[in-house]
Amino acid sequence: MNDHTILSWITFIPLIGMGAILFVPRNNSGVIKLIAGIATAIPFLLATQVYFGLFDKKSAELQLVQQLDWIKAVDAQYFVGVDGLSLALIWLATLLMLVAVPASFGIQKAQKSYYALLLLLEVGIVGVFVSLDYFLFYVFWEVMLLPMYFLIGIWGGPRREYAAIKFFLYTLTGSVLMLVAIIALRLDMGAIGAENPFSIPEMTLQAGAGMLTGTGLPFGGHLLGMQFTTWIFWFLFVGFAIKIPVFPFHTWLPDAHVQAPTPISVILAGILLKLGGYGLMRACFPIVPSAFNEFAYALGILGVISIVYGAFVALGQTDFKRMVAYSSVSHMGFVLLGMAALQNWGMSGAALQMFNHGTSSAVLFLIVGVIYDRAHHRDLNGFGGLAQVMRKYWALTTLGFFAALGLPGLAGFVSEAMTLMGAYNSEREGFKTLVIISVIGIVITAAFLLWTMQRVFLGNLNEKYKDFDDINFREIMCQAPFLFLCVFLGVAPWYLLDWMQPSIDKLVTTLGG
Amino acid sequence: MLGLLEFDPSIDFKLLLAVLLIPLIGYVLQIFLRDKLPRGDWILTGGMGIVALITVFLAAKAIAATTAGEEFFHASSDVGMQFGWFYSDLETPAVNVIAGILYDPLGAIMLAVVGVVSFCVHLFSQGYMRGDKRYAIFFANLSLFTFAMLGLVLSDNILFLFIFWEIMGLMSYLLIGHFGHDPSQPFFHRWATWASKKAFLTTRVGDCCLFIGIFMFWDQFQTLSFTGLWEAGRAAVEANGGEFPAWMTTAGLFVFGGTVGKSAQFPLHIWLPDAMAGPTPVSAMIHAATMVAAGVFLLGRMFPLLSPEVLTVVALTGSFTALFAATIGMTAFDLKAVLAWSTVSQLGFMVAAVGLGHVTAGMYHMVTHAFFKGCLFLAAGSVIHGCHHVQDMRLMGGLRRKLPVTYICMLVCTLAIAGFPLFSGFYSKDQILLAGWASVGDIDHFGGTALFALIALPVAAMMTAFYMLRLIFITFHGEYRGNMQEHMYSEMIASEGVEGPDPNEHGPGEHGDDSHATHEPHEDPFRKNSMTQALVILAVMAVPGVAWVVHTWVGGLISIHTLYPSGIADWIGAKVPEGIFDPDSHMAHVAHGRALYLSLFVACTGILGAFYLYVMRRDLPAKITAGLGILYTTCRRRYYIDEIATACVINPCVKLAVILKWIDEKIVDGLVLLVGRVNKLAGFLSAWFDRMFVDGAVNAVAHVSQAFGAAFRLLQTGRIQQYATFAVGGGLLTAAWLILS
Amino acid sequence: MGLGAYVAVSAALFGLGIVTIISRRNIIYILMGIEMILNAANINFVAFNRFGLTEAGSLEGKMFAVFTIILAAAEAAVALAIVLNVFHLFDSIKPSEADLLRE
């Protein structure tokens, strides 16, 4: 293992683990869990080593690059590498998967397949973050889809088939649009004689030079009255926006979350949604910067609608998990707003918000999981007074809720403040108004979280629940890393931002900011 | 001696850092080791004592320096004590948030106030909260609350101020909701839950305004530090020909929104009276040293950046709130409610003073108010404790003999808040009225605002004197009425004509503790009673003599010329009435004289009025209230602001949420499902076509094959041996045929 | 003894094997029949190598025999595994009961 293969190791060790699990008898769940634990722990340790050791945080370049020929017929390459944008998310992904294993110990059904699929999912997720070749990117993108479908569809709640199919078809629609755009880009790259026509960095370079406009294609730079780049932009954007998810493409999310088992919800909210935001930053905006600049205001509006609308709909929910799901829509709206503003703080804030939402939403879903395991329902109006019997749980929930509502001193605040200040400072027209409107979302977020707090924990104790056990050690340990990150990054955000800054600055410059 | 009072950056910044860290460390220790620490409360109280000593010592240095005429501004960034928050690199300050400590006269005095009041509250809580189920958590939260306020005061940039500002919001949420987890106190249990949420959300509306204001200033000035903002503001105004640019007015209004929320100004004042659902020491903390003071402190910090238009709004809001809250205060019967409304009213005074340009009067009143209001609340706590958790003044009376120390302390502070001559409040309130007179004289700048303030503030001051003395007379004089039977109490409540339950009033049966009927009110001996000890410390600050000394010192420390660096101080002169900016001017003398007579007049009128109505003619108040009819009821019901807020803001929000939820499920998701259904339908149609025509042709071929298959099928028995027989037989036949042919 | 004798033995063995396969009701015997057939072939290989049509000293036939023996061993292992599974599935090792192929 050397510096150039470490990313491949991080990506594929879970695959090895998956292979190992397939050889273990299905009733030997202890060994299966052990293998799953090891196969997720090693990538996490390697990612930590990359973060603190191998990665040069002063550089904006892609690092630890590995580039091999793969499918010569279409010039697709095995091309992986990291920069400040992806590094933190890779680390978060490996951490989330590591935590997802103990968080899944409660699952009894078909454990062998469950953990095998979980590891396959990790391959897909990490693969998307490391790949720099669009073909490879797409392959990993699809690899991730399938395990998720089964994980929701087999281990989910009562309406799991509906949710799984909805999730699958919805995201597949996005992927197909993306595929069309990728093929078009490949052809265009071929037409301008690029050396590695699938390479994302090369596409970025060509696009930055104004070359990637589709003029070399049979239909020229225009199609059905719209520019080639506009088509590409919207196809890619919709593909990624479904994943984020941005209003109005968000409705798969609440269903998927409500039906998914707790660890899968955690992964879904914690890292899958970030793939959308990351995709926009890595593989959409820099490839069609002109269209991005043209439609930035529209994106900003979508972001603000997500923030405010998501918060209001969350306020109207009575299902604990649905509420948390909609709060995700609201929080991820900041990502889009920050990116659309094209300002260094806005972009950094967006990247940071992805990370911070990853930790805080993971906590929220774990919290919901704890109560669901005990009460077997999630109706917010059915609880009450739980603070009297579950003291530790209540304390952790308080911390998690305040992290989610962006209380200063906790991580969410830093990213929200950066995003909003950046967006307010944007040179683009109209963003000041958008920021002021989006602040309504912050107030409403506080309102629904505190209201939930009141309905679940305060007031009179429901007699049925007076024998509830407090949160146990395993559950605390699952939440602990994320709560720690929420506090730590709220106090010392430079531990992420320092690493991101060069890449973000470069991205903003590339996009013309 | 003078050497000791010299500010030494190498040591004193470390002391300031210690001031910040002691409560934080105390909090962490208490939260994580509360079962293992023998007396966690003493560690925290002791720590806070040290904090109080340090802050007072450092304030003495500030006083020494300013009295000597030196400029006293110490930023830790000057000596390299700073850190980059967003990014660790300090070389590009424009895109980073660089935080450090700013220690200036305003910070010095505020810090000392917070330190001393918080220490007293800690001390008091040891007695008051004894036996509470969540005693350790309470102390931990109290410490963190103090930490947030200290951090807010010491922050040298507005973003960090905002951060501590919000942490304070969280702590107030937790502390107001302290009883929300204790079902053994049914009434508080419900109320605290509701009130804590209300407090957090209401102030958060203001916080978000402040947040936007910060965006606006950062957007234009690219700096967040106060000194940087002041300089940039001056440059911007000078570049604009001496006028404030329009955006600064907008930004200033948004910043003021933060004050409106935190310092409980109309219309976001609604959270403060309900905040008394928390334990009484918390009320003292919120009303005196922390929460509400933060808003006024923010105004002091941002004063140079507020345009005259903003100041007009500030002055109007403040004067209106002062008057408005005072009228409600006159009608309240809950001991703590009277004090809560008086706080709203006094905050109105401070805000109005800032709005009228007399920023030092506002700050000074904040200081004196912190001491006497802290004492009043703690005294109220002592009364409530002594009366076994009764809060309704009508169930008290004649307590002066039973709670002597409490009575004296409370009387001193009441006279202070009433503005009785020589007590501390007199000096500060006098200054505010002076601001009114001075700005009326400066009619170009202030116009009708000053006139309104000059009418509203003295009237409010008179009402303050009236209702505070009313409180004293009802509570401490006359006969003890605690033995009143429950039905009599209900009748009394009913006869008031107030409809529906009022959370401020709760009858004897409501708190699950009906022992007050059998126990007489009592006060523990002073020597053993940390509650009364704390009271005395605070009350001393309001006593004539001490008050004069404090007045001299603080007056030297915070004047319009020392509050900001010299360049800024000269610049803001344009916004300050001449009579205040130049104390030796003719206008200053005229205003001073008038203010003195006016404040003497209103204080004495109010006090005499209360004496007449509540000592000499006790039958009159009931008649007057009956005569006022609906006017009284409206006032009593707090002008229905809560109901209006519920009807106009909260309910529409919840309704909107429900509607949007419906839209999301039926329309947005409905569209998605519709697309799915259309696809499914298309699928069925093509499947039908496929089955009938495409597959039909194939099937025709298949049917023929099937017929053959059916025949051969008879041979298929599924038995291996039979197959083997066929194979061998076939082989033999083939062999035979080959041989024979 | 000439080639004819060997071939005769081989033919007899083959015939016995065929009869065993076809007539026996126990799957184990069928396996034994298969073994007999394979061994019949082996005898032929070796005999023809010794007497027959190849050059002197050639090993071709013997090699084939060795291969067949190995093959037979592997086949036996697989077949026994199948037998086990058949037993699990049908609770019997009669080939007449395992007639799912018909479906």
Side-chain angles (χ1 to χ4, degrees):
Chain A
M1 191 184 307
N2 61 37
D3 287 3
H4 296 284
T5 56
I6 190 162
L7 291 179
S8 304
W9 283 107
I10 293 175
T11 314
F12 290 110
I13 282 175
L15 196 64
I16 299 172
M18 177 191 161
I21 282 181
L22 291 180
F23 282 104
V24 178
R26 77 166 69 99
N27 49 7
N28 201 345
S29 69
V31 176
I32 291 174
K33 286 171 188 167
L34 184 69
I35 293 176
I38 293 172
T40 50
I42 296 174
F44 171 69
L45 294 175
L46 291 180
T48 312
Q49 194 201 350
V50 171
Y51 196 93
F52 289 106
L54 302 176
F55 189 82
D56 174 17
K57 65 176 179 174
K58 294 262 189 288
S59 161
E61 298 306 312
L62 291 158
Q63 299 179 35
L64 306 174
V65 169
Q66 189 180 14
Q67 195 164 11
L68 303 169
D69 282 339
W70 183 30
I71 305 174
K72 288 219 173 130
V74 293
D75 290 326
Q77 290 184 313
Y78 179 80
F79 183 18
V80 296
V82 284
D83 66 355
L85 279 180
S86 50
L87 182 60
L89 290 170
I90 292 171
W91 189 79
L92 178 66
T94 52
L95 173 66
L96 267 163
M97 299 310 289
L98 177 61
V99 171
V101 172
S104 307
F105 284 174
I107 284 170
Q108 299 300 333
K109 184 174 162 185
Q111 295 183 354
K112 183 169 162 178
S113 336
Y114 177 85
Y115 288 103
L117 286 170
L118 202 63
L119 291 175
L120 185 62
L121 184 63
E122 178 166 7
V123 176
I125 292 170
V126 177
V128 171
F129 284 131
V130 295
S131 44
L132 296 172
D133 182 280
Y134 227 139
F135 194 85
L136 189 66
F137 183 91
Y138 186 76
V139 168
F140 279 124
W141 186 271
E142 295 296 306
V143 162
M144 181 184 68
L145 208 55
L146 209 66
M148 206 62 199
Y149 169 73
F150 285 115
L151 286 168
I152 297 174
I154 297 178
W155 288 272
R159 296 188 70 205
R160 52 181 179 261
E161 281 98 356
Y162 167 76
I165 290 174
K166 193 169 176 180
F167 162 79
F168 191 83
L169 289 183
Y170 218 134
T171 27
L172 195 68
T173 313
S175 312
V176 169
L177 294 179
M178 220 167 94
L179 185 63
V180 173
I182 293 173
I183 293 169
L185 284 169
R186 160 71 182 84
L187 296 177
D188 197 28
M189 287 289 279
I192 54 177
E195 195 181 342
N196 297 316
F198 267 125
S199 147
I200 295 175
E202 205 165 324
M203 281 187 197
T204 310
L205 276 181
Q206 296 289 3
M211 298 293 289
L212 210 60
T213 52
T215 38
L217 294 178
F219 49 81
H222 289 266
L223 190 63
L224 298 179
M226 276 212 296
Q227 283 189 349
F228 172 76
T229 46
T230 311
W231 283 104
I232 297 288
F233 174 75
W234 283 111
F235 275 30
L236 288 176
F237 176 75
V238 171
F240 291 123
I242 287 175
K243 208 74 171 188
I244 287 181
V246 170
F247 175 88
F249 308 115
H250 64 279
T251 53
W252 63 269
L253 184 75
D255 285 314
H257 267 311
V258 168
Q259 299 307 328
T262 303
I264 302 306
S265 282
V266 170
I267 294 170
L268 187 60
I271 200 74
L272 240 67
L273 307 188
K274 277 77 216 171
L275 292 165
Y278 171 76
L280 288 178
M281 278 189 187
R282 166 77 73 214
C284 174
F285 297 160
I287 288 171
V288 276
S290 57
F292 165 62
N293 287 319
E294 191 181 338
F295 296 109
Y297 191 54
L299 301 194
I301 290 176
L302 281 182
V304 170
I305 292 179
S306 297
I307 294 171
V308 177
Y309 177 89
F312 267 111
V313 179
L315 181 66
Q317 298 299 328
T318 49
D319 182 313
F320 202 158
K321 216 168 177 183
R322 266 188 106 81
M323 185 211 80
V324 178
Y326 277 104
S327 80
S328 288
V329 176
S330 178
H331 284 136
M332 292 304 285
F334 285 102
V335 175
L336 194 57
L337 178 65
M339 289 192 291
L342 191 59
Q343 198 269 0
N344 292 49
W345 274 14
M347 196 67 85
S348 304
L352 190 63
Q353 173 77 355
M354 287 201 274
F355 190 94
N356 290 339
H357 177 257
T359 53
S360 69
S361 67
V363 171
L364 291 190
F365 280 111
L366 287 167
I367 283 167
V368 179
V370 169
I371 192 74
Y372 185 70
D373 283 347
R374 286 162 178 72
H376 304 292
H377 74 87
R378 288 182 301 257
D379 183 8
L380 286 172
N381 296 322
F383 296 111
L386 287 181
Q388 292 164 33
V389 286
M390 302 172 77
R391 296 281 296 278
K392 280 186 219 155
Y393 177 56
W394 170 67
L396 293 178
T397 309
T398 309
L399 189 56
F401 273 20
F402 279 98
L405 67 77
L407 189 88
L410 300 171
F413 171 74
V414 185
S415 44
E416 276 174 24
M418 274 191 112
T419 311
L420 293 177
M421 287 170 100
Y424 197 86
N425 190 233
S426 169
E427 284 165 15
R428 297 192 196 282
E429 211 135 305
F431 271 73
K432 292 184 170 42
T433 325
L434 292 183
V435 169
I436 293 176
I437 297 171
S438 67
V439 168
I440 298 171
I442 298 182
V443 179
I444 300 298
T445 305
F448 71 72
L449 284 172
L450 291 192
W451 196 23
T452 304
M453 180 74 99
Q454 180 187 354
R455 286 189 281 180
V456 175
F457 291 98
L458 309 177
N460 295 324
L461 178 63
N462 192 331
E463 274 302 305
K464 275 190 291 184
Y465 303 140
K466 73 177 191 312
D467 297 326
F468 271 11
D469 294 330
D470 205 345
I471 185 168
N472 63 33
F473 182 71
R474 176 176 66 85
E475 288 161 338
I476 291 178
M477 288 323 285
C478 286
Q479 296 186 10
F482 302 119
L483 286 171
F484 171 76
L485 282 174
C486 282
V487 176
F488 181 75
L489 289 177
V491 177
W494 64 85
Y495 268 93
L496 269 184
L497 288 170
D498 273 358
W499 273 257
M500 287 179 181
Q501 191 187 18
S503 305
I504 298 273
D505 288 351
K506 189 181 160 201
L507 175 65
V508 172
T509 319
T510 312
L511 292 175
Chain B
M1 186 62 200
L2 271 176
L4 194 63
L5 287 177
E6 196 80 10
F7 190 87
D8 179 0
S10 60
I11 300 172
D12 288 347
F13 279 125
K14 286 181 188 121
L15 280 180
L16 288 171
L17 211 56
V19 162
L20 203 51
L21 289 180
I22 288 172
L24 184 64
I25 294 168
Y27 170 80
V28 174
L29 283 179
Q30 182 77 342
I31 279 286
F32 289 105
L33 300 175
R34 62 177 178 277
D35 303 328
K36 292 165 191 98
L37 293 175
R39 281 298 298 270
D41 53 346
W42 265 112
I43 294 176
L44 294 184
T45 312
M48 205 51 70
I50 296 170
V51 167
L53 284 178
I54 297 176
T55 54
V56 170
F57 172 60
L58 289 176
K61 292 188 172 192
I63 291 168
T66 47
T67 324
E70 294 165 22
E71 196 173 89
F72 188 81
F73 277 90
H74 297 281
S76 65
S77 50
D78 296 342
V79 293
M81 267 179 73
Q82 55 181 349
F83 72 103
W85 193 50
F86 280 177
Y87 307 106
S88 59
D89 107 80
L90 292 168
E91 282 156 20
T92 48
V95 295
N96 202 349
V97 177
I98 296 184
I101 291 174
L102 175 66
Y103 195 66
D104 64 345
L106 183 56
I109 188 66
M110 197 65 216
L111 205 62
V113 168
V114 177
V116 172
V117 173
S118 173
F119 169 66
C120 291
V121 170
H122 274 75
L123 193 62
F124 181 87
S125 304
Q126 291 201 350
Y128 187 82
M129 297 301 288
R130 183 166 301 139
D132 187 83
K133 273 186 181 167
R134 301 171 69 239
Y135 183 78
I137 302 276
F138 177 80
F139 266 90
N141 286 345
L142 210 53
S143 251
L144 200 63
F145 201 10
T146 316
F147 158 77
M149 187 63 192
L150 293 168
L152 183 141
V153 173
L154 287 172
S155 298
D156 74 345
N157 71 81
I158 192 164
L159 193 70
F160 267 64
L161 180 139
F162 182 74
I163 287 172
F164 288 112
W165 174 283
E166 285 279 292
I167 295 176
M168 208 151 58
L170 163 72
M171 299 323 292
S172 69
Y173 170 78
L174 294 178
L175 283 167
I176 295 171
H178 182 79
F179 289 134
H181 318 288
D182 187 359
S184 64
Q185 297 188 309
F187 179 78
F188 281 111
H189 185 49
R190 278 202 315 277
W191 185 21
T193 306
W194 173 77
S196 59
K197 190 180 72 175
K198 180 174 172 183
F200 190 84
L201 292 180
T202 315
T203 51
R204 193 146 175 105
V205 173
D207 298 352
C208 284
C209 287
L210 172 58
F211 205 20
I212 295 173
I214 295 173
F215 297 163
M216 292 178 167
F217 279 115
W218 182 77
D219 177 42
Q220 295 288 333
F221 293 159
Q222 296 288 307
T223 178
L224 290 164
S225 82
F226 289 115
T227 43
L229 283 172
W230 295 334
E231 285 299 335
R234 188 173 68 159
V237 171
E238 276 167 7
N240 201 34
E243 295 286 315
F244 276 76
W247 73 264
M248 276 179 87
T249 302
T250 321
L253 284 175
F254 272 111
V255 168
F256 178 58
T259 302
V260 171
K262 216 67 160 183
S263 289
Q265 296 299 294
F266 180 84
L268 295 181
H269 64 280
I270 47 175
W271 68 271
L272 189 61
D274 279 310
M276 66 186 182
T280 307
V282 175
S283 304
M285 200 78 166
I286 289 176
H287 289 256
T290 53
M291 284 293 270
V292 298
V296 180
F297 180 77
L298 173 74
L299 279 187
R301 278 277 190 246
M302 296 300 278
F303 180 74
L305 297 169
L306 302 179
S307 70
E309 290 79 13
V310 178
L311 290 179
T312 309
V313 176
V314 173
L316 283 176
T317 313
S319 323
F320 178 73
T321 310
L323 184 63
F324 161 88
T327 56
I328 304 177
M330 290 198 299
T331 63
F333 279 106
D334 186 299
L335 187 57
K336 282 171 80 178
V338 176
L339 293 177
W341 286 109
S342 82
T343 306
V344 178
S345 175
Q346 296 304 307
L347 288 166
F349 276 94
M350 300 171 206
V351 170
V354 175
L356 292 172
H358 200 353
V359 57
T360 43
M363 299 304 127
Y364 181 39
H365 194 52
M366 175 170 74
V367 172
T368 55
H369 176 262
F371 289 119
F372 61 64
K373 185 52 66 64
C375 179
L376 282 172
F377 259 107
L378 294 184
S382 176
V383 171
I384 293 166
H385 189 74
C387 292
H388 305 280
H389 296 279
V390 171
Q391 295 198 4
D392 195 318
M393 296 195 292
R394 287 166 295 189
L395 294 170
M396 298 170 185
L399 294 179
R400 70 177 184 279
R401 281 179 296 274
K402 286 162 180 150
L403 306 160
V405 181
T406 308
Y407 171 63
I408 292 166
C409 292
M410 197 147 186
L411 186 63
V412 166
C413 292
T414 303
L415 290 174
I417 195 176
F420 195 77
L422 301 182
F423 287 84
S424 65
F426 170 75
Y427 295 105
S428 52
K429 216 175 265 186
D430 179 52
Q431 291 280 312
I432 292 173
L433 294 182
L434 185 144
W437 279 115
S439 49
V440 164
D442 206 350
I443 204 85
D444 294 347
H445 272 87
F446 297 96
T449 315
L451 215 55
F452 175 72
L454 199 56
I455 296 165
L457 292 180
V459 174
M462 194 192 300
M463 290 178 177
T464 308
F466 173 78
Y467 66 71
M468 286 309 296
L469 267 297
R470 165 179 173 266
L471 179 149
I472 291 286
F473 292 140
I474 297 185
T475 313
F476 290 99
H477 292 254
E479 297 302 314
Y480 180 56
R481 297 179 293 272
N483 300 320
M484 186 190 289
Q485 294 303 311
E486 198 169 326
H487 67 272
M488 285 173 67
Y489 182 78
S490 330
E491 274 169 27
M492 189 173 71
I493 300 271
S495 71
E496 273 210 327
V498 177
E499 287 143 28
D502 184 348
N504 287 358
E505 265 83 34
H506 43 286
E510 281 249 36
H511 15 77
D513 167 22
D514 52 1
S515 53
H516 70 278
T518 47
H519 291 288
E520 285 293 300
H522 68 281
E523 184 179 79
D524 290 333
F526 182 71
R527 201 161 38 80
K528 287 192 285 183
N529 190 347
S530 69
M531 288 158 59
T532 42
Q533 288 161 3
L535 281 183
V536 170
I537 298 176
L538 287 175
V540 163
M541 306 298 285
V543 176
V546 180
W548 183 79
V549 174
V550 172
H551 172 64
T552 323
W553 283 351
V554 176
L557 182 61
I558 46 171
S559 76
I560 199 80
H561 304 285
T562 58
L563 218 47
Y564 307 103
S566 50
I568 303 298
D570 296 338
W571 168 54
I572 59 172
K575 287 190 289 189
V576 179
E578 193 199 337
I580 292 162
F581 195 67
D582 181 6
D584 297 326
S585 64
H586 171 64
M587 205 181 259
H589 290 296
V590 173
H592 200 87
R594 286 174 183 170
L596 186 64
Y597 293 128
L598 186 61
S599 53
L600 275 175
F601 171 72
V602 293
C604 295
T605 321
I607 293 170
L608 288 177
F611 185 72
Y612 182 69
L613 285 179
Y614 290 94
V615 178
M616 293 172 68
R617 296 284 306 274
R618 289 198 196 153
D619 54 324
L620 265 184
K623 285 180 192 159
I624 293 173
T625 52
L628 284 172
I630 190 148
L631 259 177
Y632 173 77
T633 319
T634 313
C635 215
R636 184 92 182 80
R637 301 284 292 167
R638 309 150 159 203
Y639 296 93
Y640 300 101
I641 304 279
D642 279 284
E643 285 81 354
I644 294 169
T646 311
C648 296
V649 182
I650 300 166
N651 285 348
C653 273
V654 175
K655 287 241 171 61
L656 181 65
V658 173
I659 292 169
L660 285 180
K661 180 185 178 226
W662 184 85
I663 288 177
D664 194 67
E665 277 166 13
K666 302 294 171 197
I667 297 179
V668 183
D669 200 30
L671 276 176
V672 175
L673 290 183
L674 187 68
V675 172
R677 294 236 168 79
V678 168
N679 273 326
K680 207 167 158 186
L681 189 66
F684 276 124
L685 282 177
S686 57
W688 177 79
F689 179 81
D690 195 61
R691 213 167 40 243
M692 292 303 289
F693 299 100
V694 185
D695 213 26
V698 182
N699 280 349
V701 179
H703 278 305
V704 177
S705 330
Q706 211 170 14
F708 282 105
F712 286 114
R713 196 178 171 190
L714 296 174
L715 296 175
Q716 304 292 316
T717 59
R719 293 190 182 146
I720 302 165
Q721 284 169 307
Q722 209 163 12
Y723 295 159
T725 317
F726 288 141
V728 173
L732 286 176
L733 282 178
T734 314
W737 182 70
L738 282 174
I739 293 164
L740 290 177
S741 61
Chain C
M1 273 199 296
L3 181 61
Y6 287 100
V7 172
V9 171
S10 164
L13 201 55
F14 182 81
L16 286 173
I18 288 289
V19 170
T20 314
I21 288 174
I22 289 173
S23 63
R24 280 293 181 172
R25 296 212 157 260
N26 188 319
I27 210 163
I28 301 291
Y29 284 102
I30 295 177
L31 285 181
M32 288 165 69
I34 291 170
E35 293 295 319
M36 285 156 83
I37 291 171
L38 288 173
N39 282 322
N42 277 351
I43 293 173
N44 273 0
F45 275 129
V46 177
F48 280 102
N49 184 256
R50 169 72 181 76
F51 296 104
L53 312 167
T54 54
E55 293 164 28
S58 142
L59 287 172
E60 282 168 10
K62 289 170 187 151
M63 285 305 295
F64 266 111
V66 170
F67 270 126
T68 313
I69 289 167
I70 295 166
L71 187 85
E75 176 257 322
V78 172
L80 283 172
I82 292 173
V83 170
L84 274 179
N85 269 321
V86 166
F87 183 72
H88 275 301
L89 215 56
F90 298 99
D91 270 339
S92 139
I93 48 172
K94 289 182 185 163
S96 56
E97 310 226 338
D99 56 357
L100 284 181
L101 266 181
R102 202 174 68 177
E103 301 306 315

